[in-house]
Amino acid sequence: MKSVKLHRQLSRLVINSLVFLLLFSLNLSAQEGDVANGEKLFKSTCAACHRLDKKLVGPALKGITDKREQDWLISWIKDSPGMIKSGDKLAIQVFEENNKLPMTPNPQLSDQDIIDILAYTKGEPAAPKAELVSQEIDPAVERGKKVFKTNCVACHKLDKKLIGPALFKIGEKREAEWLKLWIKDNAALVASGDKLAKEVANSTPIAMTAFPQLSDQDIEDLLKYFEVGDVKKVTANATSTSVDNQEIFNNPRTGVWTSLGLTILAFILLSLIVAATTNKKVIEGEEKEDSMLKSMFLSPFLRFLALVFFLLGGAYLTFGYFMQVGVDTGYQPIQPIAFSHAVHAGDNKIDCQYCHSSAKNSKTSGIPSVNVCMNCHKSISEYNGELFGEYSKADLDGEIQKIYDAVGWDKENLQYIEDYEQKPIEWVRIHNLADFAYYNHSQHVNVAGLKCQKCHGPVEEMHEVKQFSKLTMGWCINCHKTTEVDMKNNDYYKNIHEQLSKKYGIEKVTVAQMGGQECGKCHY
């Protein structure tokens, strides 16, 4: 009987130890914050209201983990209104300290996502970045560059003809004093009978604008800029550590394998403990000892434990595999033209709806026609920004040429080619919902006032756009459950809100409570 009791106590001890070690291993791996992923999530989720180093709408978040417990921060970020309603003293204190401005809940974020964001708020860099080192520039050249951009770029380029001739090293072809007179009032110079002025005026189809407002110093600075041109920035690597090695340690999936490895080790360790404590048996009053390996195979408890372990593990892996079918997060096809959203929407601040104009009044956002591209690229035939990817300047100039080839534009004569057979650019679709799911861009852009980044992520930072969000039904419903309806200047919603607020006993109504969770809204 003592032996039976001992085995029961041992079994309970082993089960408790296994559960503890499993939870510990999962928790240990979850504590590993991915700073790079945290930075992306911070920019897409938190940057509208927070900065790291200074107060915006909400408080500065740098070093927040030194002030608040991690578990509390996870709960607060996921559902701050719920914590306030539950009576959490710290939640109420934070709410009152920030002028009772409600923080948007983020139930779509996993615990690991929030841990990554908190790792980013510590202010530690994810990876050393390349430093830009520039040559010393004469202040006069910089002033001349500003004069050129303000007055000349509509008709001139430095290194090639636009409407007027290329101006780089123009001082080697014309005398400085003549150039000053020509720039200030070329018409008066022609009228004075100057032969060179007449020759230049006759060689250009459009008369040059006079600039009497420019001082002699302005023109001297301009001529210095023509002599030097643009000083290119040189990229210097701040470290010799390879990016590939850094990505290995910044990969969020590393935590999953760590959890699996620690769990297997815990199982092996407990198997050895059980085998070591049950390898003795009594035969005819004598105690004999079996080998530890034989005890592991013969132990009913260990065999049951192994069966449960493999069944649960197999079910978890199978379920996880099938749940990813049709989820194309990260899908990034090769496009026919290397169009960079980071250059257009990021560097040049082009509004998303300038190109995707139908997003505000149509079901789809639309793909811009080549004519929309030509609104800018009639006068932008080359790339002069910072290089990205593995492209050279010649490569990117060739990508712009693909637009001209599609529409039939002669960049030398600045006109369309007559009787040219235009060809559409065959862009590859990235975001594609199932046919049985209805989605209307105008409803979300106009009525809800959502920014494009809410679903598509920080496209202004992407050179090659990829699918940022899951776009699954659960992802949409979670958004509807947490997004509050804006009732300002809307009598229709105001009346419904008064009825629903009484029905649900709440102050603000979410999209889901307004009908955004009904099956027929998306599956009609």
Side-chain angles (χ1 to χ4, degrees), residues 256-257 260 309-324:
V256 176
W257 295 111
L260 183 60
F309 177 81
F310 285 110
L311 285 177
L312 291 177
Y316 173 79
L317 293 175
T318 303
F319 180 78
Y321 172 78
F322 283 111
M323 284 300 292
Q324 294 305 310

Short mmCIF file of all heavy atoms in Angstrom, two decimals, residues 256-257 260 309-324:
data_model
loop_
_atom_site.label_atom_id
_atom_site.label_comp_id
_atom_site.label_asym_id
_atom_site.label_seq_id
_atom_site.Cartn_x
_atom_site.Cartn_y
_atom_site.Cartn_z
N VAL A 256 9.22 30.52 -30.81
CA VAL A 256 8.42 29.31 -30.93
C VAL A 256 9.30 28.08 -30.82
O VAL A 256 8.99 27.12 -30.11
CB VAL A 256 7.67 29.31 -32.29
CG1 VAL A 256 6.90 28.01 -32.46
CG2 VAL A 256 6.73 30.51 -32.35
N TRP A 257 10.43 28.08 -31.53
CA TRP A 257 11.34 26.94 -31.50
C TRP A 257 11.98 26.80 -30.12
O TRP A 257 12.27 25.69 -29.67
CB TRP A 257 12.40 27.07 -32.59
CG TRP A 257 11.81 27.02 -33.97
CD1 TRP A 257 11.72 28.04 -34.87
CD2 TRP A 257 11.18 25.89 -34.58
NE1 TRP A 257 11.09 27.62 -36.01
CE2 TRP A 257 10.74 26.30 -35.88
CE3 TRP A 257 10.94 24.58 -34.18
CZ2 TRP A 257 10.10 25.45 -36.75
CZ3 TRP A 257 10.29 23.72 -35.05
CH2 TRP A 257 9.87 24.15 -36.33
N LEU A 260 9.40 25.04 -28.01
CA LEU A 260 9.31 23.63 -28.35
C LEU A 260 10.51 22.85 -27.80
O LEU A 260 10.37 21.77 -27.23
CB LEU A 260 9.22 23.47 -29.87
CG LEU A 260 9.06 22.04 -30.39
CD1 LEU A 260 7.77 21.42 -29.86
CD2 LEU A 260 9.06 22.03 -31.92
N PHE A 309 1.17 13.89 -24.80
CA PHE A 309 2.08 14.91 -25.32
C PHE A 309 2.05 14.93 -26.86
O PHE A 309 1.91 15.99 -27.48
CB PHE A 309 3.50 14.64 -24.82
CG PHE A 309 4.53 15.58 -25.36
CD1 PHE A 309 4.71 16.84 -24.82
CD2 PHE A 309 5.33 15.20 -26.43
CE1 PHE A 309 5.66 17.69 -25.32
CE2 PHE A 309 6.29 16.05 -26.94
CZ PHE A 309 6.45 17.30 -26.38
N PHE A 310 2.17 13.76 -27.47
CA PHE A 310 2.21 13.70 -28.93
C PHE A 310 0.85 13.98 -29.56
O PHE A 310 0.77 14.58 -30.63
CB PHE A 310 2.74 12.34 -29.38
CG PHE A 310 4.22 12.19 -29.20
CD1 PHE A 310 4.74 11.34 -28.24
CD2 PHE A 310 5.10 12.93 -29.98
CE1 PHE A 310 6.11 11.21 -28.06
CE2 PHE A 310 6.48 12.80 -29.81
CZ PHE A 310 6.99 11.95 -28.85
N LEU A 311 -0.24 13.57 -28.91
CA LEU A 311 -1.57 13.87 -29.44
C LEU A 311 -1.85 15.37 -29.41
O LEU A 311 -2.32 15.95 -30.39
CB LEU A 311 -2.64 13.12 -28.64
CG LEU A 311 -2.77 11.62 -28.90
CD1 LEU A 311 -3.81 11.01 -27.97
CD2 LEU A 311 -3.13 11.35 -30.36
N LEU A 312 -1.53 16.02 -28.28
CA LEU A 312 -1.75 17.46 -28.17
C LEU A 312 -0.83 18.23 -29.12
O LEU A 312 -1.25 19.19 -29.78
CB LEU A 312 -1.54 17.93 -26.73
CG LEU A 312 -2.58 17.46 -25.70
CD1 LEU A 312 -2.18 17.94 -24.31
CD2 LEU A 312 -3.96 17.98 -26.05
N GLY A 313 0.43 17.80 -29.18
CA GLY A 313 1.37 18.46 -30.08
C GLY A 313 0.96 18.31 -31.54
O GLY A 313 1.00 19.27 -32.32
N GLY A 314 0.54 17.09 -31.91
CA GLY A 314 0.09 16.87 -33.28
C GLY A 314 -1.16 17.67 -33.62
O GLY A 314 -1.27 18.23 -34.72
N ALA A 315 -2.11 17.73 -32.66
CA ALA A 315 -3.33 18.50 -32.90
C ALA A 315 -3.02 19.99 -33.05
O ALA A 315 -3.58 20.68 -33.92
CB ALA A 315 -4.31 18.28 -31.75
N TYR A 316 -2.09 20.48 -32.22
CA TYR A 316 -1.71 21.89 -32.29
C TYR A 316 -1.07 22.23 -33.64
O TYR A 316 -1.43 23.23 -34.29
CB TYR A 316 -0.75 22.22 -31.15
CG TYR A 316 -0.17 23.61 -31.22
CD1 TYR A 316 -0.90 24.72 -30.81
CD2 TYR A 316 1.12 23.81 -31.71
CE1 TYR A 316 -0.37 25.99 -30.89
CE2 TYR A 316 1.66 25.08 -31.79
CZ TYR A 316 0.91 26.17 -31.38
OH TYR A 316 1.45 27.42 -31.46
N LEU A 317 -0.13 21.40 -34.09
CA LEU A 317 0.54 21.65 -35.36
C LEU A 317 -0.42 21.53 -36.53
O LEU A 317 -0.37 22.32 -37.48
CB LEU A 317 1.72 20.68 -35.52
CG LEU A 317 2.87 20.85 -34.53
CD1 LEU A 317 3.90 19.75 -34.72
CD2 LEU A 317 3.53 22.22 -34.69
N THR A 318 -1.30 20.54 -36.49
CA THR A 318 -2.27 20.36 -37.58
C THR A 318 -3.24 21.54 -37.65
O THR A 318 -3.50 22.09 -38.73
CB THR A 318 -3.07 19.05 -37.38
OG1 THR A 318 -2.16 17.95 -37.30
CG2 THR A 318 -4.05 18.83 -38.53
N PHE A 319 -3.76 21.95 -36.49
CA PHE A 319 -4.68 23.08 -36.45
C PHE A 319 -3.98 24.35 -36.93
O PHE A 319 -4.55 25.12 -37.72
CB PHE A 319 -5.18 23.27 -35.01
CG PHE A 319 -6.14 24.42 -34.86
CD1 PHE A 319 -7.46 24.29 -35.24
CD2 PHE A 319 -5.71 25.63 -34.32
CE1 PHE A 319 -8.34 25.36 -35.09
CE2 PHE A 319 -6.58 26.69 -34.18
CZ PHE A 319 -7.90 26.55 -34.57
N GLY A 320 -2.75 24.57 -36.47
CA GLY A 320 -2.01 25.75 -36.89
C GLY A 320 -1.75 25.78 -38.38
O GLY A 320 -1.81 26.83 -39.02
N TYR A 321 -1.49 24.61 -38.96
CA TYR A 321 -1.22 24.54 -40.40
C TYR A 321 -2.47 24.90 -41.20
O TYR A 321 -2.42 25.73 -42.11
CB TYR A 321 -0.75 23.13 -40.78
CG TYR A 321 -0.64 22.90 -42.26
CD1 TYR A 321 0.46 23.39 -42.97
CD2 TYR A 321 -1.64 22.23 -42.96
CE1 TYR A 321 0.56 23.20 -44.34
CE2 TYR A 321 -1.55 22.03 -44.33
CZ TYR A 321 -0.45 22.52 -45.01
OH TYR A 321 -0.35 22.33 -46.37
N PHE A 322 -3.61 24.30 -40.85
CA PHE A 322 -4.82 24.55 -41.62
C PHE A 322 -5.36 25.96 -41.41
O PHE A 322 -6.02 26.51 -42.29
CB PHE A 322 -5.90 23.52 -41.26
CG PHE A 322 -5.67 22.18 -41.91
CD1 PHE A 322 -5.33 21.07 -41.15
CD2 PHE A 322 -5.78 22.03 -43.28
CE1 PHE A 322 -5.10 19.85 -41.75
CE2 PHE A 322 -5.55 20.81 -43.88
CZ PHE A 322 -5.22 19.71 -43.13
N MET A 323 -5.08 26.58 -40.26
CA MET A 323 -5.54 27.94 -40.03
C MET A 323 -4.78 28.96 -40.88
O MET A 323 -5.20 30.11 -41.02
CB MET A 323 -5.40 28.31 -38.54
CG MET A 323 -6.45 27.67 -37.65
SD MET A 323 -8.14 28.16 -38.10
CE MET A 323 -8.11 29.88 -37.65
N GLN A 324 -3.63 28.56 -41.44
CA GLN A 324 -2.85 29.47 -42.27
C GLN A 324 -3.21 29.37 -43.75
O GLN A 324 -2.70 30.13 -44.57
CB GLN A 324 -1.35 29.17 -42.09
CG GLN A 324 -0.82 29.47 -40.70
CD GLN A 324 -1.10 30.89 -40.27
OE1 GLN A 324 -0.82 31.83 -41.00
NE2 GLN A 324 -1.65 31.05 -39.08
#
